[in-house]
Structures are given as C-alpha cells and as structure tokens.
C-alpha cells in the first residue's frame, strides 16, 4: 500500500516515541482491542518488544513476525491498541495487516489510520488511503456513506474538526437510503458535538419512515446536555414518546444517562424515583454513569485518604458533609437502596459466592463492594467467597488494573481475609470460616434503604428486652 509504505517515517526510535490515549477512542476500537486470553498476553509481549526497538528495521521485523504468526483476532486487537494509543507504529502495523492472507478491509480501522496519518502531518497519504478504500473496497453508495460516518467520528476524535466537517459535506451531497446510514450519521454528528445537525438528521430519518430507536434520541439529547442546552435536551427526551418508543429499561436508562451527562443530580434523583414506581431497575451502565457523575464521590475514591468510608452508612454521611451539591448524597443513597445491580453482579452456588466487578468503573466498584458487604453479613455463606476484578485485559488504560488495585486497597482497609488467588491474579478469595469471623467483627451497617421501619422497633420495651436477652444467652450456649 503506497499510502502507508514508509515504515522509517512512521517508526522512530523507542526513546522518541510517546504513547498517548485518544480521549474519544472509538467504541469499536475498544471492543477489538479488549482481546482476551492468550491474545491479550501476546499483545503485551508485542508492546514490550516494540518499546525495546531502536531502529525502523527492528520494528519492522517485530511487526511482520507478529502479524505472520498470530491469529487474525490477536493481530487486529494489537492494531486497535496501537491506534488508541496514537502510536506511529500503528501505520506500518496496518500495512502488515493488509498483506496478511486473512485480511478483510474494515471501515473502522481504515478511518482510524487515515485520521492518524492526518494528525501526524501525512495529509497526502491520508487522502490516498481514503480514495483507495472507496475505489477498491466499497461497492455501493450506502457503503461509502457509512465509511464517511466513520471518518467523521475518527477525525473528530483527534480534534480534526474541519476535516470531519468536510466528510459531512460529502455525506450530505449523497442520496442517502436505509436506516443504518442515518443511525451512523446521527452517532457521528453527536461525537462531533453537532447536536442541531444530529436532531435534523433524526427528524429526516423519521419523515422518511425509518423508525429510530431510543439510542438515537438518547445520543441527540445527551449531545444537547453536554453543551449545556438543557431545555433542548428535555424536549428531545419528551419526543421519544411521540415517536412511539415505549419507556422500557433501555429507554429509561438512556434518559438517566442524558441527565448524568450534564450532572443534573436533582433530575437524576427524580428519574430514579420514577423508574422505581414503574418497576424499571437500573442497569450496570446506569450504575456506572450516575456514580461517575458525582464529583465528591469521585474525589473520595481517587484520593483514597485514611478517612475513606468503609460502610455504606459512612459513605452517605461523608457525602452529606463534604458535598456542595444537595442531591448528590441522596442520589447515592437511592442507588444503594436498590439491589438490582448487585443481584446481577453477585453469583451464588453451593460452593461459592462471587462478586463480579467486570464492567464497573472504579467508583461504581467501590460503592458496589460496600453494598455487597452489607448483604453477605446477613446470609449463610458457601464454602468460598471471592471478588472477581480482572487483570485489566478489557481496559483501555494501561498499567496496574485500576479496579483490582481499588478492590485490594478497600478490602485490606476493611481487614478482610480476601487475598489474590495464586491461580488467578484477577480474583480475591478466602474460605467461608475466615470470612464469617471477619464479618462478625465488622461494624453492623445502619439501614440505608427506603423500607419502612422494622416491625421489631415498634414492639413494647419488655418484649424487646426479652428478645435481646434470648439472643445473648444463645450466643453463650
């Protein structure tokens, strides 16, 4: 490929390379880069080898050897990782991929490479790659339209707004047909921050009879919310029902994400209450973006100072005293009152109870762990207790796995017996007897739910006294 043939220009010495994560990396790139299993481990070895190379020739040999010997999945995962890191070696790596026997052209990868070439000053090579992709790999107008949408997203993510706008102009000059093209265009316009244009595309989609989903309305509403246009955001949210979209779990959580994007905690709180009345439970994603939108909570988790609350009650009290936002503590309290997310993250069997933190941010994982401790205190435990936090293979941030690091720190401060498994470095584990001893000495949590007062609190004093004496003597026995 002539567009990316110059390896020496794209692969400087390792000492001169600086890896930096793209702030708006494509979700598609992240999915491919997550890899898994042996692919993830071989990718780490590849990155280490590339860091040690000092010449373009050495880097070329490492890249070609990797692409030639590894599977398609492993090679594409490594390519996606290099593109996310804005590493110049992504360009020669892409060239090697195009020469592999299993190569299939990908709009996502071609767009990302073209944007990286443009960002590095290779405008001519970027344009050549784009024109070659259109002439050699795209057969229909719809395919070209989808490619332009990916180019808009990729160039916008690298701050190349003018070039992204050029692709949008080209896109609008084409006769669009099909629901898929409009969905992609709306998504790309929202990534560019063009809420008005995205809403116009949404209206055009409806007028042509292509039924949009709640996701499209959510993208447009969130785009307005991020720009501070709350009136427009709520107008788009209200228009969902006019388009015939039923308020189910997906739509309700999308509305919640819109309010979280502009950090409107009072509206999030009101919406959570409405969801509860409608019996719509928050999802893992909702749990993540609501908690991530709480600035005081984020500060508490990031600082990890000695006063870090280790109980749900302590956390709510901390937020009430430290937060400048009136609804933040109540919002966290409301999420703690619901067990839907915890129930899905917790797995019970005859031999093990497991808390799975995959898919949670560090802030959400911290809150979930406090909630989890409250729950298991009142249950009969199986033989083994574990917390699965992973080793960072699905993260787009390199280095020490953040969720595992947080889980270890919080559990150590709780003086829990859970320790890293010798067979699985992404799992903290302990036997039942040691966990039960620990929980017996751990502070009893105060009520943090919205339930009515316990019936025992309404009992006469004498009955309460006899009940407590009975508990005391049974403990002695």
């Amino acid at each position: 490929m002539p567009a990316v043939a110059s390896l020496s220009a794209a692969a400087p010495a390792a000492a001169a390379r600086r890896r930096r994560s793209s702030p708006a990396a494509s979700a598609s790139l992240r999915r491919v880069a997550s890899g898994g299993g042996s692919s993830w481990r071989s990718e780490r070895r590849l990155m280490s080898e590339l860091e040690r190379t000092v010449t373009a020739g050495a880097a070329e040999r490492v890249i070609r050897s990797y692409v030639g010997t590894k599977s398609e999945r492993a090679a594409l995962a490594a390519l996606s990782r290099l593109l996310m890191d804005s590493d110049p070696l992504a360009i020669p790596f892409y060239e090697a991929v195009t020469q592999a026997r299993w190569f299939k052209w990908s709009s996502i990868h071609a767009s990302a490479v073209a944007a990286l070439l443009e960002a590095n000053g290779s405008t001519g090579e970027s344009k050549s790659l784009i024109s070659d992709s259109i002439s050699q790999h795209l057969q229909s107008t719809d395919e070209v339209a989808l490619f332009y949408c990916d180019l808009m997203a990729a160039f916008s993510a690298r701050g190349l707004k003018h070039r992204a706008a050029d692709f949008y102009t080209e896109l609008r000059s084409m006769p669009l047909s099909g629901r898929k093209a409009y969905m992609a265009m709306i998504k790309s316009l929202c990534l560019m921050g063009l809420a008005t244009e995205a809403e116009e595309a949404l209206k055009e989609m409806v007028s042509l009879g292509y039924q949009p989903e709640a996701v499209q309305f959510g993208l447009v509403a969130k785009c307005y919310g991020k720009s501070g246009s709350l009136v427009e955001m709520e107008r788009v949210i209200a228009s969902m029902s006019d388009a015939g979209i039923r308020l189910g779990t997906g739509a309700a959580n999308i509305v919640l994400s819109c309010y979280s994007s502009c950090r409107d905690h009072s509206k999030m709180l009101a919406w959570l209450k409405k969801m509860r009345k409608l019996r719509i439970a928050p999802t893992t994603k909702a749990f993540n973006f609501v908690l991530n939108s709480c600035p005081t909570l984020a500060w508490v988790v990031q600082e990890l100072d000695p006063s870090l609350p280790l109980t749900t009650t302590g956390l709510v009290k901390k937020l009430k005293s430290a937060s400048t936002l009136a609804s933040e503590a109540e919002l966290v309290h409301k999420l703690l009152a619901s067990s839907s997310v915890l129930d899905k993250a917790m797995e019970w069997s005859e031999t093990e109870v497991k808390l799975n933190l995959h898919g949670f941010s560090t802030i959400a994982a911290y809150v979930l762990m406090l909630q989890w401790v409250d729950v298991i205190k009142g249950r009969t435990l199986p033989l083994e207790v574990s917390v699965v936090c992973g080793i960072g293979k699905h993260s787009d941030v390199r280095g020490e796995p953040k969720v595992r690091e947080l889980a270890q720190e919080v559990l150590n401060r709780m003086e829990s017996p859970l320790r890293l498994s010798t067979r699985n470095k992404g799992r903290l584990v302990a036997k039942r007897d040691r966990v039960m001893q620990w929980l017996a000495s751990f502070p009893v949590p105060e009520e943090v739910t919205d339930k009515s007062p316990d019936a025992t609190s309404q009992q006469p004093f004498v009955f309460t006294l006899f009940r407590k004496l009975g508990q005391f003597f049974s403990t002695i026995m």
Side-chain angles (χ1 to χ4, degrees):
M1 285 181 58
V4 290
S6 177
L7 178 66
S8 59
R17 287 202 306 267
R18 290 183 180 271
R19 301 184 189 274
R20 56 189 185 280
S21 295
S22 174
S26 164
S28 301
L29 282 177
R30 282 198 293 268
R31 280 195 297 272
V32 180
S34 64
S38 59
S39 298
W40 179 77
R41 288 189 289 271
S42 64
E43 178 195 320
R44 292 191 66 178
R45 288 193 293 269
L46 168 68
M47 300 306 169
S48 298
E49 288 184 43
L50 290 177
E51 286 289 350
R52 293 194 296 269
T53 58
V54 293
T55 65
E60 179 181 12
R61 286 191 294 274
V62 170
I63 289 172
R64 297 199 178 279
S65 172
Y66 188 87
V67 175
T69 58
K70 299 300 179 182
S71 66
E72 176 184 358
R73 178 184 178 184
L76 293 180
L79 172 62
S80 297
R81 175 63 65 181
L82 289 169
L83 287 168
M84 287 170 57
D85 291 343
S86 301
D87 195 318
L89 286 175
I91 297 168
F93 198 100
Y94 180 70
E95 179 195 3
V97 165
T98 60
Q99 296 173 4
R101 64 183 183 280
W102 44 257
F103 170 71
K104 294 178 183 177
W105 183 84
S106 162
S107 177
I108 294 293
H109 286 131
S111 302
V113 172
L116 182 57
L117 283 166
E118 183 87 20
N120 289 347
S122 303
T123 303
E125 294 184 2
S126 175
K127 290 181 178 179
S128 178
L129 174 59
I130 293 170
S131 61
D132 288 349
S133 296
I134 294 174
S135 62
Q136 298 175 15
H137 302 288
L138 303 176
Q139 307 298 326
S140 66
T141 304
D142 286 348
E143 290 179 349
V144 176
L146 292 173
F147 182 43
Y148 277 131
C149 290
D150 288 334
L151 287 169
M152 288 163 57
F155 277 71
S156 177
R158 297 196 180 278
L160 304 169
K161 302 292 185 181
H162 293 296
R163 289 288 290 129
D166 291 341
F167 294 123
Y168 179 56
T169 303
E170 292 284 343
L171 180 65
R172 296 308 288 170
S173 67
M174 300 167 54
L176 294 181
S177 64
R179 183 165 172 263
K180 193 173 181 181
Y182 277 96
M183 291 170 64
M185 181 169 62
I186 292 168
K187 180 180 178 181
S188 298
L189 287 170
C190 290
L191 289 173
M192 295 169 64
L194 302 176
T196 304
E197 290 80 355
E199 187 179 8
E200 290 175 358
L202 181 61
K203 292 177 180 178
E204 185 179 332
M205 182 180 180
V206 173
S207 66
L208 292 173
Y210 302 125
Q211 181 63 35
E213 298 176 355
V215 175
Q216 281 72 57
F217 285 91
L219 287 171
V220 177
K222 192 183 295 186
C223 192
Y224 274 125
K226 287 181 178 179
S227 65
S229 304
L230 302 186
V231 175
E232 285 79 3
M233 183 187 80
E234 294 192 327
R235 176 174 52 76
V236 174
I237 290 173
S239 67
M240 291 172 64
S241 59
D242 298 334
I245 295 176
R246 188 179 64 85
L247 189 63
T249 302
N253 282 292
I254 284 171
V255 174
L256 197 59
S257 73
C258 292
Y259 286 126
S260 70
S261 67
C262 55
R263 296 194 172 186
D264 193 332
H265 294 91
S266 59
K267 291 290 179 64
M268 277 190 278
L269 183 61
W271 192 255
L272 279 172
K273 291 177 180 178
K274 183 176 181 178
M275 289 172 63
R276 185 172 182 178
K277 287 181 180 179
L278 296 173
R279 299 182 180 275
I280 300 175
T283 62
T284 299
K285 286 185 177 180
F287 200 78
N288 277 334
F289 51 62
V290 170
L291 293 175
N292 289 346
S293 70
C294 297
T296 309
L297 176 61
W299 173 82
V300 167
V301 176
Q302 289 168 3
E303 290 297 316
L304 287 177
D305 58 38
S307 63
L308 179 74
L310 299 177
T311 64
T312 52
T313 307
L315 174 61
V316 174
K317 287 181 179 178
K318 175 85 171 180
L319 294 177
K320 285 181 178 179
S321 62
S323 178
T324 58
L325 302 171
S327 302
E328 184 176 0
E330 191 177 354
L331 182 64
V332 175
H333 182 276
K334 180 62 66 176
L335 280 180
L336 288 170
S338 172
S339 63
S340 61
V341 176
L342 178 62
D343 290 342
K344 290 180 180 179
M346 191 165 49
E347 302 173 23
W348 288 82
S349 69
E350 294 182 357
T351 58
E352 182 185 22
V353 55
K354 177 168 59 178
L355 176 65
N356 193 339
L357 297 180
H358 280 108
F360 290 94
S361 67
T362 52
I363 298 170
Y366 162 69
V367 174
L368 197 71
M369 287 171 63
L370 300 188
Q371 191 182 22
W372 175 70
V373 171
D374 287 353
V375 169
I376 64 172
K377 277 184 69 70
R379 296 197 187 182
T380 302
L381 301 178
L383 296 175
E384 199 168 71
V385 179
S386 66
V387 174
V388 179
C389 44
I391 52 178
K393 68 174 66 173
H394 299 293
S395 173
D396 57 354
V397 179
R398 289 197 189 174
E400 178 70 18
K402 298 300 179 183
V403 173
R404 186 182 73 178
E405 188 178 20
L406 173 85
Q408 283 183 282
E409 180 66 23
V410 171
L411 290 171
N412 284 341
R413 291 193 187 190
M414 289 180 174
E415 298 182 353
S416 87
L418 280 85
R419 295 292 182 267
L420 276 181
S421 169
T422 55
R423 293 179 294 177
N424 184 346
K425 295 300 181 183
R427 179 171 174 261
L428 297 153
V429 63
K431 296 299 182 183
R432 173 181 59 191
D433 293 344
R434 296 194 62 195
V435 174
M436 292 185 67
Q437 290 175 4
W438 163 59
L439 291 174
S441 63
F442 201 71
V444 177
E446 298 177 24
E447 186 64 56
V448 296
T449 67
D450 291 341
K451 297 176 183 177
S452 59
D454 196 333
T456 56
S457 63
Q458 308 297 326
Q459 293 176 346
F461 171 75
V462 174
F463 290 102
T464 304
L465 177 63
F466 276 112
R467 179 175 56 81
K468 291 186 176 181
L469 286 173
Q471 292 175 347
F472 172 72
F473 284 115
S474 64
T475 303
I476 294 177
M477 294 298 292

